[in-house]
Amino acid sequence: MYDRGNIPEEMGTPTQNMWVDWVRDNSGIDVEYVAIPRGESVPKFNILLASNEAPDLITEYDSEFIHKLYNQKQIMPIDELIETYSTEYKQVLEKFPILKKLSTQPDGHMYAVGRVQGYFPFTYLFIREDWLDKLELDAPRTTEELLRIAIAFAKQDPDGNGLDDTQGINMSGFAPDVINSMFQNTSWVLEDGEIVRDWERAQAALQFKKALFDADAIDRDYLTDKNGRKAEQDFLKGKIGLYAFAGNAKEIYDAYARLRSNVPEAVIAPIALPASPFGQFSAQFNPPFQLSGVINAKANDPVSVIRYIDFMSKETTEATFKYGLEGVHYRLDNGVPVTIDKDKYDKEVSWLGDFRTIGPQYHTTEFEKYKQDLDLNKPFDREVDDLLNEALGLYISPERPYAGFTLDRYMPALPNEIEFIDSNAERAILDIWNRAILGGEAYSAEQAVQDARKAWEDGDGAQVEQWYRDWYKENKDKWVFTEDLYDVRIRSEFGK
């Protein structure tokens, strides 16, 4: 169980609390939890595995780590265990074959369990609608229009204070990902039946970033804002017109409320990522299917682990860890759970996310759960509800698919020697991109791409390219690609 430091002191610890007791009482399994520091989960698991003290069921959201455990033969295949001993989780796999695809390793066996979360956005591009109105501008539909609007926001005093203190768009935090997504600049693209390393899209995205910097439309010290906190504060103070944001529905609500408190006239809205010469795309969204657990190869009682997985996969268990206990934390109003006491819910239930690591978690997503908690009798809550509904349609749409050939979480895990080559080359290339953005006319995007290609070649990037070509040839008929995700959404109950 992750230790995030978010459990109220009076509620206990990650391994001893009322919900641990509830699991034991209701599952009939004498489960023991192991506390894992969230920010150091992979190093901690590695230590426990090396000392033969790792738990029987390792729950972890890092799919790359899961693949490495497979390569190191530290986890066991689970096909026969599920077939023989599972009922609940087996039904999840039958209903959502994509989860089985993701769980299956190259030897043809399943090694991981996961959860089905449903579809909701994670990355947004917000625009100050009141600034658009002030400057008599329309929301941008293309990257060229976006550039002009960002410059206008930075130069035409949209907040009316007579000072040169506004920015067009943030360039730290999640902004680079959003801009790259507009240009489908995801490093690897599918062309002519192969995965290839792309440079044309990289150059276009770089040129766009250079134009923003050259026009003083962004914070010129953005590289020092390593975690995006300064950009966040600038946005909350009402000084950024276009803001690339990543977070959940509650974080959106809280951020907008703080902005409105600081700037009462501020109005924000999500916009679709503008179209580039390469098409119109969306940024990364929450993975609807996520690997989240593996069974230790040295587990003493794997059958009991399957029993635990089954219990955690029940819809009733999902509902309990989302809403709490009926009559204690919620009541049913026309079949819809309604929180009875928000303070009690926050103290006793709100931190239970890590109990929901396995099985179906889509009947009411976190996105929908938060919308249910909004008070639509309050104008601000209605505004946020409209914003969230609009964002869902904008960012989860086959008309504007995710820019990559698959979600980041589904990218194949590189072997250690290939990963070493790739990471070293990528660091060198990122340094070139940064120098080009800051370099003005003295360092063109064209020259930067030439330098980046040379750094890639000198760093043995050809080996990485060959690995991806071979991987795609072997897995193109059995992997989960971007188009598969939208196909599921259209055909399944997710589309309701």
Side-chain angles (χ1 to χ4, degrees):
M1 182 61 62
Y2 286 138
D3 185 352
R4 299 179 184 266
N6 63 342
I7 301 177
E9 186 176 352
E10 62 270 32
M11 293 305 300
T13 69
T15 60
Q16 294 294 334
N17 55 69
M18 62 180 285
W19 298 106
V20 170
D21 295 338
W22 183 88
V23 171
R24 290 173 180 153
D25 292 343
N26 288 273
S27 69
I29 302 168
D30 187 20
V31 59
E32 177 183 346
Y33 290 95
V34 178
I36 303 292
R38 178 63 187 106
E40 304 170 6
S41 60
V42 169
K44 179 65 174 179
F45 277 129
N46 283 331
I47 291 171
L48 293 174
L49 286 162
S51 60
N52 291 323
E53 296 178 354
D56 291 345
L57 177 63
I58 298 172
T59 52
E60 169 61 47
Y61 301 125
D62 187 339
S63 57
E64 184 175 348
F65 176 64
I66 288 176
H67 292 309
K68 286 183 177 180
L69 292 181
Y70 163 76
N71 289 332
Q72 296 164 359
K73 302 186 184 304
Q74 299 205 70
I75 55 179
M76 67 173 61
I78 59 175
D79 314 67
E80 292 187 10
L81 285 167
I82 290 173
E83 180 62 32
T84 304
Y85 300 104
S86 172
T87 54
E88 299 288 342
Y89 189 74
K90 185 193 297 185
Q91 292 174 12
V92 175
L93 293 177
E94 290 171 351
K95 192 169 188 178
F96 301 105
I98 278 185
L99 188 58
K100 185 173 183 177
K101 267 191 176 185
L102 291 171
S103 307
T104 302
Q105 291 290 353
D107 68 357
H109 293 290
M110 288 175 52
Y111 282 82
V113 293
R115 60 179 178 173
V116 183
Q117 299 184 91
Y119 289 77
F120 50 96
F122 178 74
T123 311
Y124 303 74
L125 181 59
F126 292 121
I127 195 166
R128 285 285 299 272
E129 284 197 325
D130 55 312
W131 284 13
L132 287 175
D133 293 342
K134 172 79 179 295
L135 301 181
E136 298 182 344
L137 297 170
D138 295 323
R141 294 166 297 177
T142 66
T143 50
E144 291 88 350
E145 292 176 0
L146 178 65
L147 179 60
R148 289 197 293 270
I149 287 174
I151 294 172
F153 282 168
K155 297 299 182 182
Q156 296 183 23
D157 191 26
D159 62 356
N161 68 353
L163 301 175
D164 182 16
D165 62 349
T166 55
Q167 302 167 34
I169 189 171
N170 59 312
M171 192 70 135
S172 56
F174 288 88
D177 294 334
V178 168
I179 293 172
N180 286 335
S181 294
M182 294 178 197
F183 292 90
Q184 203 183 19
N185 178 31
T186 57
S187 296
W188 302 96
V189 296
L190 294 178
E191 285 186 354
D192 300 324
E194 285 192 343
I195 290 182
V196 297
R197 173 79 197 213
D198 174 78
W199 300 102
E200 183 182 4
R201 294 165 179 80
Q203 180 172 320
L206 178 62
Q207 185 61 58
F208 183 85
K209 295 169 189 174
K210 280 177 64 66
L212 287 170
F213 185 86
D214 292 345
D216 286 329
I218 60 174
D219 180 359
R220 295 180 71 83
D221 294 324
Y222 74 93
L223 285 177
T224 64
D225 186 19
K226 300 297 185 183
N227 57 11
R229 294 303 182 195
K230 182 179 182 300
E232 179 185 35
Q233 291 306 310
D234 288 340
F235 170 70
L236 295 175
K237 292 174 184 176
K239 297 302 179 183
I240 297 181
L242 286 145
Y243 186 60
F245 175 92
N248 60 35
K250 182 181 187 306
E251 289 166 333
I252 290 172
Y253 184 99
D254 292 344
Y256 195 6
R258 289 175 62 189
L259 171 64
R260 185 65 64 78
S261 175
N262 293 329
V263 188
E265 69 274 16
V267 178
I268 65 171
I271 61 171
L273 301 196
S276 74
F278 304 96
Q280 188 171 23
F281 306 99
S282 293
Q284 194 83 216
F285 55 86
N286 195 75
F289 307 92
Q290 183 180 31
L291 301 185
S292 54
V294 291
I295 300 181
N296 189 340
K298 298 180 180 179
N300 290 322
D301 188 1
V303 173
S304 288
V305 176
I306 296 298
R307 289 177 57 215
Y308 174 82
I309 289 169
D310 260 26
F311 177 76
M312 301 305 275
S313 297
K314 289 183 176 181
E315 187 176 343
T316 52
T317 306
E318 172 197 3
T320 297
F321 288 137
K322 199 159 285 179
Y323 299 107
L325 302 174
E326 185 175 0
V328 178
H329 302 104
Y330 73 91
R331 68 176 187 278
L332 288 177
D333 187 353
N334 293 323
V336 176
V338 176
T339 300
I340 296 172
D341 183 329
K342 185 177 184 304
D343 289 339
K344 184 177 180 64
Y345 178 90
D346 287 346
K347 183 175 79 170
E348 297 184 358
V349 184
S350 65
W351 45 272
L352 295 181
D354 293 322
F355 279 89
R356 301 193 298 270
T357 57
I358 298 169
Q361 303 297 330
Y362 63 89
H363 294 96
T364 300
T365 67
E366 293 302 301
F367 189 85
E368 293 163 339
K369 168 69 173 68
Y370 193 78
K371 289 205 300 130
Q372 286 179 359
D373 289 342
L374 295 174
D375 184 351
L376 299 186
N377 293 314
K378 297 179 179 178
F380 182 73
D381 284 29
R382 283 201 309 274
E383 185 178 350
V384 173
D385 184 65
D386 290 341
L387 182 156
L388 294 174
N389 289 331
E390 185 177 4
L392 180 62
L394 289 174
Y395 301 134
I396 312 293
S397 167
E399 285 75 40
R400 293 173 295 276
Y402 171 60
F405 68 83
T406 191
L407 295 180
D408 283 357
R409 292 283 183 93
Y410 302 162
M411 285 291 285
L414 299 173
N416 290 339
E417 65 277 10
I418 300 298
E419 181 185 29
F420 180 77
I421 294 170
D422 183 62
S423 59
N424 283 342
E426 291 293 355
R427 279 195 295 269
I429 291 171
L430 179 60
D431 180 62
I432 291 170
W433 297 155
N434 288 334
R435 287 192 285 114
I437 293 170
L438 275 57
E441 294 182 359
Y443 198 179
S444 68
E446 293 85 351
Q447 183 60 52
V449 168
Q450 290 181 31
D451 294 343
R453 296 187 75 155
K454 186 175 187 306
W456 178 253
E457 292 165 4
D458 291 347
D460 292 329
Q463 292 190 47
V464 185
E465 294 182 54
Q466 186 62 53
W467 188 90
Y468 272 112
R469 279 196 296 270
D470 293 343
W471 175 87
Y472 183 67
K473 183 178 180 180
E474 295 172 5
N475 293 277
K476 61 183 179 180
D477 295 326
K478 55 186 179 183
W479 201 252
V480 177
F481 295 96
T482 298
E483 61 268 21
D484 299 323
L485 298 176
Y486 295 100
D487 191 47
V488 169
R489 182 171 190 265
I490 291 169
R491 294 184 183 183
S492 78
E493 61 193 87
F494 289 139
K496 65 185 178 182

